[in-house]
Amino acid sequence: MTGGKEGRSRLYDSQQENGDQSSHYGAISPQASSEVQEEPLSTYFEDKVPIPESDNECFSFRKLWAFTGPGFLMSIAYLDPGNIESDLQSGATSDFKLLWVLLYATIIGLLLQRLAARLGVVTGMDLAEICNRQYPTVPRMILWLMIELAIIGSDMQEVIGCAIAFNLLSVGRIPLWGGVLITIADTFVFLFLDKYGLRKLELFFGFLITVMAISFGYEYGLVKPDQGEVLKGMFLPYCPNCGPVQLEQAVGIVGAVIMPHNIYLHSALVKSREVDRKNKKEIKEANKYFFIESSIALLVSFVINLFVVAVFAQAFYNKNNMEVNAVCNATGSPHTDLFPLNNGTLEVDIYKGGVVLGCFFGPAALYIWAIGILAAGQSSTMTGTYSGQFVMEGFLNLKWSRFRRVLLTRSIAIVPTFLVAISKDVQHLTGLNDILNVVQSILLPFALIPILAFTSLTSIMNDFANGLVCKVLGSLVILLVCAINLYFVVVYVTALNSVWLYVIATLVSVVYLCFVIYLVSSFRGFHRHTYALSLRNHDS
């Protein structure tokens, strides 16, 4: 395979171009650039956060505070509107039985984010930049397009969430298409916030996460879920009397929680701290504190997700449309027509979720729910913007201002969402969220395979390369994700009822599997090349 040889030679050449490797503890270093930028392009990195000295070498709260920020920005992807919708559907359809899936998916996400942070700290480059160096042109461009597709899909979910929140808060006065247009404007407004400094921007994201915690925590306190059932659902990996609906929901949780572009994002965000890459001790310390911070951030995100699952499990599991219609009608809700007069099981989404909370627990529950959804949409809007910028700059070595970058990605995300919003009702708009969660799951291997490959190479990570246990666990995660994707394909293709669509889906699946196999074979090729290099260096 010439592609593999070219990729391996690029790896070797990039090491030679860096000259003396002893200047950095990581085996490869960022390329120096003689170009003078006329405009600051990555405002996030304009001012790096210094790390204070501490007498306590074991642990320092001052150092932890200095490293706090990137993990919480990363954790917002675990709290976007797509995740919230997956949570409430899990509770309404499966009771507390799938909480353990949410817990395990979050733990797997933490392990993957740990790899991403380590890559950024050790090499001083993000995952997109390393992909640019190591992969040949064609696979590199395909990877870039796949991750761009994931970012656009995530953008669409954020736009949908914000539009629904505006609609609920205005009691329907702001139509869905109006909410979409407002989201365009507020994205550009929020982009000016980072002009006030990196730490203030990170505190603003912390504020939005706090708003979500308070909003969904209020709903949790209002509904008062059975704590015994919550603990049982979290720690007993078992789903009694579960069928295809619960299985599909479990698969959807994994697809919603672990997002491909978030791994690229986290590997870039950690570069915002001043870490001396010539010093192994400082790299080790940075890895430790970033892991602690990421653990705390994902614990917070897990608790918020748990709030949503538990609220809908306690209040709306096994409810039917007739019951909900009667309650909404009795409370004078203007949304009674959302629930047909039949005994069908209640189906909820982020829009209907707010409505039923308002019917059963009062208008305050509806408005506080909408505020939480708005905070989720607005916060993930900003992190999606950063993801897009880092991915484009890394893969293409193309320096765009953030304004141009947002204008492009936001336009691509807005157009299809706006067309659906203006021509269809809210059910079609929220139904789009389910499809986008499937897309995120399908694209996940295009982040998992590169991050596992590059963090396993001593030629890149030196002494910080993955050990055998990490490689085995990472490989099992990739196999699990591919199995989940295969399940999704079977479910959706069998529902198409068209020979031509069967053929197209089959062809796309074959191409997809071929590219995944190529990435895995390149992984093995990188390892063989690294071994050859080590022998060459040993002989010399």
Side-chain angles (χ1 to χ4, degrees):
M1 292 176 64
T2 24
K5 290 180 181 176
E6 183 188 340
R8 294 190 286 279
S9 67
R10 282 167 60 84
L11 181 145
Y12 178 73
D13 293 341
S14 67
Q15 292 171 354
Q16 300 303 312
E17 287 166 7
N18 289 323
D20 183 11
Q21 292 180 13
S22 63
S23 62
H24 290 279
Y25 194 81
I28 61 175
S29 309
Q31 289 176 328
S33 174
S34 58
E35 295 180 9
V36 179
Q37 299 290 345
E38 297 178 359
E39 177 186 1
L41 298 173
S42 290
T43 311
Y44 189 87
F45 297 132
E46 278 181 20
D47 53 334
K48 291 198 174 186
V49 176
I51 308 302
E53 296 293 330
S54 173
D55 296 331
N56 190 338
E57 293 189 5
C58 182
F59 182 80
S60 165
F61 281 106
R62 289 180 66 231
K63 285 192 174 184
L64 178 60
W65 176 247
F67 282 106
T68 297
F72 279 91
L73 266 69
M74 166 274 295
S75 73
I76 286 170
Y78 291 71
L79 295 168
D80 72 351
N83 276 285
I84 302 302
E85 181 160 296
S86 176
D87 292 336
L88 64 90
Q89 289 174 344
S90 169
T93 61
S94 311
D95 201 17
F96 300 95
K97 298 171 187 174
L98 297 180
L99 276 174
W100 63 274
V101 177
L102 177 64
L103 176 63
Y104 288 177
T106 305
I107 292 172
I108 291 172
L110 174 62
L111 298 178
L112 295 172
Q113 301 299 160
R114 174 179 175 268
L115 296 182
R118 285 167 67 88
L119 184 72
V121 170
V122 174
T123 66
M125 294 187 291
D126 58 61
L127 180 56
E129 291 175 308
I130 294 180
C131 286
N132 176 280
R133 285 194 175 197
Q134 312 306 338
Y135 285 115
T137 304
V138 173
R140 184 171 75 247
M141 294 304 292
I142 295 173
L143 264 181
W144 170 64
L145 289 172
M146 295 299 101
I147 301 305
E148 286 289 351
L149 186 59
I151 293 169
I152 290 167
S154 178
D155 268 356
M156 291 177 69
Q157 289 182 308
E158 294 147 17
V159 171
I160 290 169
C162 289
I164 288 172
F166 284 125
N167 185 268
L168 288 171
L169 287 170
S170 66
V171 198
R173 292 186 182 90
I174 298 177
L176 292 174
W177 59 266
V180 171
L181 294 178
I182 292 172
T183 307
I184 301 174
D186 63 27
T187 299
F188 289 100
V189 170
F190 284 128
L191 281 178
F192 290 104
L193 291 175
D194 64 6
K195 301 298 180 185
Y196 294 99
L198 172 59
R199 294 301 270 172
K200 291 184 177 66
L201 175 68
E202 292 174 345
L203 284 172
F204 175 70
F205 279 110
F207 166 73
L208 291 176
I209 293 173
T210 304
V211 170
M212 284 184 266
I214 293 172
S215 299
F216 301 131
Y218 169 83
E219 310 287 359
Y220 187 87
L222 190 66
V223 174
K224 296 181 176 61
D226 184 324
Q227 302 304 308
E229 289 298 316
V230 170
L231 293 173
K232 183 179 172 183
M234 280 174 55
F235 297 113
L236 287 181
Y238 178 57
C239 190
N241 303 317
C242 288
V245 173
Q246 287 73 26
L247 178 60
E248 191 169 343
Q249 195 58 53
V251 169
I253 290 173
V254 176
V257 167
I258 308 172
M259 291 193 172
H261 62 282
N262 206 36
I263 294 171
Y264 287 82
L265 172 67
H266 199 196
S267 66
L269 293 176
V270 296
K271 298 192 295 179
S272 61
R273 267 51 183 178
E274 284 185 1
V275 177
D276 183 4
R277 293 181 52 248
K278 303 172 189 175
N279 188 323
K280 179 179 179 180
K281 181 182 174 183
E282 283 200 24
I283 294 175
K284 193 172 181 179
E285 180 183 74
N287 285 334
K288 177 180 76 174
Y289 282 108
F290 276 130
F291 180 66
I292 294 171
E293 185 235 1
S294 297
S295 301
I296 296 169
L298 290 188
L299 174 62
V300 171
S301 74
F302 171 74
V303 170
I304 294 173
N305 284 315
L306 182 146
F307 284 161
V308 178
V309 176
V311 163
F312 283 84
Q314 182 71 34
F316 305 114
Y317 176 62
N318 270 343
K319 285 280 192 301
N320 61 50
N321 290 320
M322 191 83 77
E323 292 177 76
V324 176
N325 185 289
V327 173
C328 289
N329 193 42
T331 56
S333 170
H335 306 288
T336 306
D337 58 335
L338 287 174
F339 311 102
L341 290 169
N342 60 42
N343 288 320
T345 304
L346 173 67
E347 294 181 1
V348 286
D349 47 47
I350 52 177
Y351 182 79
K352 284 184 180 178
V355 171
V356 294
L357 283 170
C359 291
F360 280 77
F361 300 101
L366 185 152
Y367 293 124
I368 291 172
W369 169 262
I371 289 169
I373 295 297
L374 185 60
Q378 296 291 6
S379 57
S380 50
T381 290
M382 284 288 286
T383 54
T385 300
Y386 281 121
S387 297
Q389 182 170 352
F390 296 144
V391 165
M392 177 174 278
E393 289 181 359
F395 272 106
L396 304 183
N397 199 24
L398 180 64
K399 306 298 182 183
W400 275 22
S401 69
R402 189 169 297 127
F403 180 85
R404 290 173 64 193
R405 169 72 211 179
V406 175
L407 189 62
L408 173 65
T409 55
R410 189 66 21 168
S411 299
I412 296 172
I414 289 287
V415 170
T417 312
F418 182 77
L419 292 175
V420 174
I422 204 168
S423 61
K424 303 288 185 180
D425 55 17
V426 70
Q427 278 89 349
H428 289 85
L429 198 60
T430 52
L432 197 57
N433 250 336
D434 298 332
I435 297 171
L436 293 173
N437 278 340
V438 175
V439 171
Q440 295 289 347
S441 178
I442 289 172
L443 296 175
L444 196 50
F446 304 129
L448 297 189
I449 297 173
I451 193 66
L452 181 62
F454 297 136
T455 54
S456 297
L457 293 176
T458 53
S459 59
I460 291 178
M461 299 293 288
N462 212 322
D463 289 350
F464 295 95
N466 295 331
L468 179 62
V469 174
C470 189
K471 291 176 187 176
V472 171
L473 289 176
S475 301
L476 290 174
V477 169
I478 292 172
L479 286 173
L480 173 65
V481 169
C482 289
I484 286 171
N485 292 340
L486 183 62
Y487 171 80
F488 264 133
V489 169
V490 171
V491 168
Y492 278 87
V493 169
T494 50
L496 294 176
N497 295 321
S498 168
V499 175
W500 285 108
L501 291 176
Y502 287 154
V503 172
I504 293 170
T506 303
L507 290 174
V508 171
S509 300
V510 169
V511 173
Y512 172 85
L513 286 173
C514 286
F515 189 57
V516 168
I517 291 168
Y518 167 79
L519 291 177
V520 172
S521 64
S522 297
F523 180 11
R524 295 177 63 190
F526 287 148
H527 272 291
R528 286 196 298 270
H529 188 63
T530 302
Y531 180 67
L533 279 176
S534 66
L535 288 179
R536 187 185 308 175
N537 293 335
H538 178 74
D539 292 341
S540 61

